[in-house]
Amino acid sequence: MKRFSIFRSGRHTASSGTALEFSDNQLRQAVAAYDPALHEAPIVVGHPKDNHPAYGWVKGISFDESTHEIVAEPHQVDSDFSEMVGAGLL
């Protein structure tokens, strides 16, 4: 599975309806703070409360200066899940 975007700077609306603004610098700080040795983020469908099932893991993240996005580097991805993503089913 190839790298994928997980968050972009700019205005986002929370589920409560509150509008929040995220700067490039805040995203760079989030990238610097990510440490998979402390907690490796699971790759899940949607935002389930318990983060299950995990179809893979995020081994690292980076900030793409040209697109203003945080990009995830996946690994240990379930092959069936990867095929469904590649086919545009998820």
Side-chain angles (χ1 to χ4, degrees):
M1 184 173 183
K2 63 183 180 176
R3 297 166 39 115
F4 58 94
S5 171
I6 58 174
F7 198 80
R8 179 176 293 186
S9 61
R11 181 177 289 263
H12 297 269
T13 304
S15 59
S16 66
T18 304
L20 302 166
E21 192 76 30
F22 294 90
S23 69
D24 286 355
N25 195 45
Q26 287 172 308
L27 271 59
R28 285 185 201 99
Q29 289 173 352
V31 166
Y34 183 69
D35 183 353
L38 293 177
H39 175 75
E40 194 170 38
I43 298 172
V44 298
V45 176
H47 290 94
K49 289 183 181 182
D50 58 6
N51 289 324
H52 291 289
Y55 293 101
W57 302 94
V58 177
K59 109 169 136 175
I61 59 175
S62 59
F63 182 72
D64 186 317
E65 296 288 343
S66 64
T67 61
H68 308 277
E69 298 174 317
I70 294 177
V71 178
E73 184 178 347
H75 75 123
Q76 296 178 329
V77 178
D78 178 89
S79 59
D80 292 336
F81 176 77
S82 183
E83 285 179 31
M84 290 189 329
V85 170
L89 300 173
L90 296 174

